[in-house]
Amino acid sequence: MRIVIAGGHGRIALRLERLLAERGDEVAGMIRRPGQAGDLLAAGAEPVVCDLESAGVADVSRHLEGADAAVFAAGAGPGSGSARKETVDRAAAVLFADAAEAAGVRRFVVVSSMGADREPPEGTDPVFAAYLRAKGAADADIRSRAGLDWTILRPGRLTDEPGTGRVTLSAGSTGRGDVARDDVAAVLAALLSEDERGAVGLTLELIGGDTPVAEAVRGLAGQPG
């Protein structure tokens, strides 16, 4: 498969790129800064410089031509304000979906956030609340598209602990919990398998758990969206 990842220099994306390259997939990561290219090359990915905050649909779709799947793993990141939650976490996700449809790429996977479907509780940090609202709006847009075979993955609190290869993954609620970025990447790689279609049309929650990743993904078949 050829897989294009938006936010290709992110901590989950770099892990995912390495996993995909190791299993023989062709992977490209979209980055804003040319100086990030070396890290992608080291992970086995092709660096593609494209700023989703300034590019148009035609610019982005050109990079998606011939791809079998697209992954939106971009984010404004810590230290950014509310305005960039809107331009990256919402608008860039919508742009990437528009570009995937224009390029004829149906398989579309989004790294979202737990809590994105609910109004943030009173007292939530305003920037984090803006982030959750932006993620929720982007997810709603993508779920409305008949032209995409989408899956939305909502991890719990991310950690840099070594992955265990075991998770709790559900189209319902998992409850709150931590999950290693290693394990998020492993779940994404499994969702992007050529023969894995059980997750299409599902919004999934993910935390650490006891079920091996491959088994957890296989178990999604037949779950209601």
Side-chain angles (χ1 to χ4, degrees), residues 9-150:
H9 195 256
R11 285 184 283 177
I12 291 172
L14 285 169
R15 288 168 165 85
L16 175 59
E17 287 156 2
R18 189 170 292 108
L19 291 176
L20 295 175
E22 286 173 353
R23 77 179 187 192
D25 289 324
E26 181 183 345
V27 57
M30 299 181 75
I31 53 177
R32 288 196 307 135
R33 300 184 182 91
Q36 298 170 331
D39 291 334
L40 272 71
L41 291 168
E46 171 196 350
V48 175
V49 179
C50 180
D51 186 349
L52 293 175
E53 288 183 274
S54 59
V57 172
D59 299 320
V60 181
S61 65
R62 177 168 53 86
H63 299 302
L64 285 162
E65 289 176 2
D68 299 291
V71 180
F72 185 81
S80 59
S82 298
R84 291 203 68 227
K85 308 306 182 189
E86 170 65 19
T87 59
V88 179
D89 293 287
R90 187 199 66 79
V94 171
L95 170 66
F96 198 56
D98 287 341
E101 289 189 317
V105 181
R106 289 197 61 91
R107 189 70 177 108
F108 195 87
V109 177
V110 178
V111 182
S112 183
S113 175
M114 208 174 270
D117 268 345
R118 301 183 293 275
E119 179 61 18
E122 186 175 348
T124 301
D125 173 79
V127 175
F128 187 63
Y131 165 75
L132 290 175
R133 292 187 186 106
K135 281 293 193 186
D139 292 354
D141 178 278
I142 289 158
R143 286 187 296 208
S144 74
R145 295 175 185 250
L148 296 178
D149 293 335
W150 55 264

